[in-house]
Amino acid sequence: MAVLEHPDGSLQAGPSLEIRVEGGHDFFDYDAKYTAGEVVFDIPARLDPWVTALLHCRALQAFGRAGVPRPAACRLLPARRRRRAGPQ
């Protein structure tokens, strides 16, 4: 995920990217990248919306650690039901 800094100093996280390797390759390497039809780029990546939002937040935070003032911290968690521990 790329982060763009606008002339006014505001930051914008780009869309997520998922690289899927096909055609008998086990991982994304030089041959897979430069052989037609061996790689599929999903933009945006096929992720749950909360995961995408968390990745955007983390990308902006990481950019801030490179010397640019950090944006406000964010914490996004998926909704989940808590199970009580007890006799089974």
Side-chain angles (χ1 to χ4, degrees), residues 61-84:
Q61 289 174 335
F63 189 88
R65 289 190 181 123
V68 176
R70 290 177 64 184
C74 62
R75 180 179 168 146
L76 305 170
L77 299 173
R80 29 182 150 154
R81 294 183 181 195
R82 296 190 184 266
R83 296 168 71 179
R84 293 185 182 192

Side-chain angles (χ1 to χ4, degrees), residues 22-42:
E22 298 179 345
H25 292 277
D26 293 327
F27 56 91
F28 182 66
D29 62 3
Y30 181 88
D31 291 330
K33 181 176 181 179
Y34 292 106
T35 303
E38 301 293 312
V39 176
V40 176
F41 295 94
D42 290 323

